[in-house]
Amino acid sequence: MAIPKVEELRHAVANEPNLFTGAIPKKDWQDSFTEFKEGNFAYPAKPEMVEYHKFPNPRIWSPTDDDWKLPDGWEDIILQGLKERLGKFRSLKVFMDICVRCGACADKCHFFLGTGDPKNMPVLRAELLRSVYRNEFSVGRKILSKMQGNRPMTVKVLKEWFMYAYQCTECRRCSVFCPYGIDTAEVTMMLRELLHLVGVGINWILEPAANSNRTGNHMGLQPHTFKENIGYLVDDIKDITGVDVHPTFNRKGAEILFITPSADVFAEPGIYTAMGYLLLFEHIGLDYTFSTYASEGGNFGLFTSNEMMKKLNAKMYAEAKRLGVKWILGGECGHMWRVLHQYMDTMNGPADFLEVPKSPITGTVFDNAKSTKMVHISEFTADLIKHNKLKLDPQRNAHRVPTFHDSCNPARAMGLMDEPRYILDHVVPKWYEMNENCIREKTYCCGSGTGLNTGEIMELRMRAGLPRANAVQDVNQRFGVNCLANVCAIDRATLTALMEYWLPPTGDDPMATTDVPVAGISELVGNALIMDGEIENRDQGLRFEELVTAETEG
């Protein structure tokens, strides 16, 4: 499905009749029906992917079909699944019971801002599940049924669940503004988990999860391919800097196991971030190794089910144990860090066979990682800078004027907000913050996370990403910002598409695809590092772009 032109979509978001632009719905939300059409849903999971994960009811089906080929007794399967989860997850029952429908979350959701669909208000998206919960499990369900808005489990309800569970990126911005702290992402996770009980899911999530389980990474890269890809980056670093870097793979006895998202060694612009890692580790002489079997930090289980999340997280720790490392250093990822900080201990931890992480360069003990034994690359790098262990020339990034996008999971799930900014202060001459209402814990989502980074819903993604794009456009116009820095592999992919759409190139460069390219923080670190033995008067950045140094300016 073709996506509208920029001005057409901008006009549609601001003017088409919907709840956000002031139009009052003609029907009660319970009386409106979900309409599936090409462009507003992600493609269903392939039967072989459903079978691989041992999920029930593998088949070929389409959301546009009247008959979804659900199994016999599917209603009871869903309700029994909900009952089991209410008993297992105390938070789910709390979130079902305490919402007072105040609406504080409504205009905080990027999907509601981009679509105006009332069912994309977090309060109403969760009500799709709450209404069934109250009908089946609340104390006053029979007496107060109509007054409470209770609903039986029907095909219509199931289709709503599928539509709106996959129009939520589990970013948790709404929870920041909820007076009760309801985590709507947890509600979305439960909706998706229940849908999988009857074979309703999307391929863009199940296939990467299958790849990760089979080969160790989402991309499905075999061990030799993973190693070869890093080898290509090593060659590029040599051409650009004149420096040989020496990564190792599956090396037993290394002090540190380094795990990063596989996209960082596979696709632009992530590969430039990976080059930054390699230069940093060579610069400080770090004793580390990659694993070609646990070659993925991301965890698509977070978007699927708690059991799959647990299984995919466990592989990193199994490999750390096999290799006999002391602790784990993690790359720039988003959902990897939410899993680590919010679920690791109750699922796989504590990792007592590893040591509390201690920097071999500065001696800093990372007590915050005492349980997980895993440190974020930005924490590690910021500590190196603080202790003056890096030789940096920020002028090498003078051609970049960044702003910083707080990735949802590192910011809201682990509180990683100051360290990337501290790094930016030392690796670029200047950078600018976006509006205070859309950074740090209030950050807007990229609009395509939680497994929604798929081409068939591109218009929906661009709508959802508009609040972030508007904030970037603001600093681009006011301060000349020309780089969107972040610490998330999914962001590096999704924000690139977002910037190319909403901020297309306006200059004379025929190779440019946007006015604001996306970069990982570690790429900027790699550019700024002064390496021993490097080419004299180095004049290229990690993208082979010309560096604006004192020499070139003169």
Side-chain angles (χ1 to χ4, degrees):
M1 180 178 178
I3 184 171
K5 293 182 178 179
V6 172
E7 290 310 315
E8 292 175 357
L9 187 55
R10 192 181 295 274
H11 182 271
V13 171
N15 295 282
E16 66 186 12
N18 59 54
L19 191 63
F20 181 64
T21 57
I24 299 174
K26 296 179 180 180
K27 296 181 179 180
D28 185 272
W29 71 269
Q30 295 191 12
D31 297 326
S32 62
F33 287 84
T34 301
E35 180 183 358
F36 289 95
K37 54 187 178 181
E38 286 293 329
N40 75 351
F41 64 87
Y43 294 150
K46 300 173 184 175
E48 57 266 31
M49 292 298 108
V50 178
E51 289 179 336
Y52 179 86
H53 292 294
K54 296 182 172 58
F55 286 164
N57 200 25
R59 71 211 183 282
I60 296 175
W61 65 284
S62 172
T64 58
D65 296 338
D66 289 333
D67 182 6
W68 282 18
K69 303 175 184 176
L70 300 172
D72 293 339
W74 69 267
E75 300 97 333
D76 291 335
I77 294 172
I78 291 281
L79 294 176
Q80 183 60 33
L82 178 55
K83 181 179 180 180
E84 291 174 0
R85 284 155 182 79
L86 287 167
K88 186 176 181 181
F89 303 111
R90 183 183 178 190
S91 59
L92 177 60
K93 189 173 191 313
V94 171
F95 295 154
M96 290 293 97
D97 288 334
I98 66 174
C99 178
V100 295
R101 308 181 205 179
C102 68
C105 61
D107 61 350
K108 311 307 185 296
C109 175
H110 50 287
F111 272 99
F112 175 62
L113 295 177
T115 66
D117 187 336
K119 291 179 184 177
N120 268 327
M121 295 188 295
V123 58
L124 189 44
R125 189 186 294 114
E127 191 70 15
L128 302 179
L129 177 59
R130 282 195 189 98
S131 57
V132 174
Y133 160 77
R134 288 194 303 265
N135 191 68
E136 300 294 333
F137 303 106
S138 66
V139 175
R141 59 186 181 276
K142 294 182 179 179
I143 301 174
L144 303 173
S145 177
K146 291 185 178 180
M147 184 183 301
Q148 288 184 325
N150 300 355
R151 299 192 300 172
M153 192 67 219
T154 64
V155 171
K156 173 183 178 295
V157 171
L158 184 86
K159 291 185 176 184
E160 282 181 335
W161 284 13
F162 179 71
M163 171 72 86
Y164 294 101
Y166 291 98
Q167 289 188 30
C168 170
T169 50
E170 300 178 16
C171 81
R172 304 171 70 240
R173 189 172 192 263
C174 53
S175 67
V176 173
F177 296 90
C178 175
Y180 290 94
I182 295 172
D183 191 339
T184 305
E186 296 275 355
V187 179
T188 295
M189 290 165 65
M190 285 300 109
L191 280 171
R192 294 185 181 187
E193 196 164 317
L194 292 170
L195 288 168
H196 281 300
L197 296 178
V198 293
V200 177
I202 69 171
N203 201 67
W204 192 257
I205 292 176
L206 289 196
E207 189 160 344
N211 288 340
S212 189
N213 188 63
R214 187 182 71 256
T215 69
N217 59 75
H218 294 152
M219 300 294 180
L221 303 177
Q222 297 290 340
H224 65 279
T225 306
F226 182 83
K227 182 179 180 181
E228 288 172 358
N229 278 19
I230 292 180
Y232 298 142
L233 302 184
V234 170
D235 293 341
D236 284 348
I237 288 172
K238 175 71 171 180
D239 291 341
I240 293 166
T241 70
V243 175
D244 290 307
V245 297
H246 304 88
T248 65
F249 302 88
N250 307 321
R251 179 166 60 89
K252 292 186 176 182
E255 182 171 358
I256 295 166
L257 171 62
F258 179 63
I259 300 178
T260 195
S262 57
D264 282 350
V265 300
F266 178 75
E268 295 183 11
I271 57 174
Y272 309 118
T273 301
M275 292 164 74
Y277 303 148
L278 294 168
L279 281 166
L280 175 67
F281 300 157
E282 189 71 24
H283 187 75
I284 60 176
L286 191 67
D287 179 17
Y288 77 103
T289 188
F290 286 96
S291 166
T292 60
Y293 305 106
S295 50
E296 179 64 70
N299 190 325
F300 270 44
L302 179 64
F303 315 145
T304 310
S305 71
N306 283 274
E307 289 304 314
M308 187 176 294
M309 189 196 324
K310 176 180 180 179
K311 182 179 183 180
L312 296 181
N313 185 67
K315 75 183 188 303
M316 299 190 297
Y317 287 89
E319 190 65 355
K321 191 170 187 177
R322 184 183 75 86
L323 295 175
V325 300
K326 292 182 179 179
W327 54 279
I328 305 173
L329 180 62
E332 294 184 13
C333 186
H335 46 287
M336 165 186 181
W337 291 102
R338 184 177 182 198
V339 173
L340 259 294
H341 277 258
Q342 296 197 319
Y343 302 105
M344 160 66 187
D345 272 351
T346 53
M347 286 184 169
N348 307 108
D352 290 337
F353 60 90
L354 295 171
E355 298 180 9
V356 176
K358 178 180 179 180
S359 172
I361 312 302
T362 68
T364 297
V365 177
F366 295 94
D367 286 323
N368 59 308
K370 186 180 296 183
S371 179
T372 63
K373 311 299 193 299
M374 193 163 179
V375 174
H376 193 286
I377 187 67
S378 290
E379 296 175 286
F380 184 71
T381 305
D383 178 65
L384 291 169
I385 294 173
K386 181 180 179 181
H387 287 88
N388 299 313
K389 299 299 183 181
L390 303 183
K391 298 176 184 177
L392 297 167
D393 179 6
Q395 189 64 30
R396 289 180 170 178
N397 283 312
H399 59 302
R400 303 273 181 81
V401 182
T403 189
F404 181 66
H405 165 75
D406 290 278
S407 302
C408 300
N409 285 312
R412 281 191 279 263
M414 69 176 293
L416 188 82
M417 292 177 274
D418 292 328
E419 292 87 347
R421 289 173 167 83
Y422 182 79
I423 295 170
L424 278 174
D425 286 341
H426 291 81
V427 300
V428 297
K430 58 183 177 181
W431 67 281
Y432 296 92
E433 290 275 20
M434 287 178 273
N435 185 280
E436 64 181 359
N437 293 311
C438 63
I439 60 173
R440 294 182 174 268
E441 71 277 2
K442 297 178 183 178
T443 186
Y444 273 119
C445 181
C446 66
S448 305
T450 191
L452 302 186
N453 182 23
T454 180
E456 63 265 26
I457 55 170
M458 187 60 76
E459 179 181 339
L460 182 62
R461 289 171 49 194
M462 296 302 103
R463 284 175 173 269
L466 180 57
R468 172 47 78 221
N470 281 340
V472 176
Q473 184 179 54
D474 173 58
V475 290
N476 167 256
Q477 294 175 347
R478 289 196 294 134
F479 305 120
V481 161
N482 62 7
C483 174
L484 182 53
N486 64 86
V487 291
C488 174
I490 284 184
D491 278 335
R492 284 191 280 281
T494 60
L495 290 174
T496 294
L498 193 70
M499 294 299 102
E500 289 175 349
Y501 182 77
W502 289 113
L503 282 84
T506 57
D508 299 327
D509 183 357
M511 302 300 292
T513 59
T514 174
D515 276 348
V516 187
V518 179
I521 289 289
S522 292
E523 176 189 346
L524 302 178
V525 173
N527 259 353
L529 281 172
I530 303 172
M531 303 292 293
D532 290 340
E534 69 176 26
I535 295 172
E536 186 175 357
N537 297 326
R538 177 185 152 198
D539 59 0
Q540 286 185 317
L542 298 184
R543 303 188 185 203
F544 289 93
E545 79 278 24
E546 182 181 359
L547 293 182
V548 182
T549 63
E551 289 79 6
T552 56
E553 285 183 330

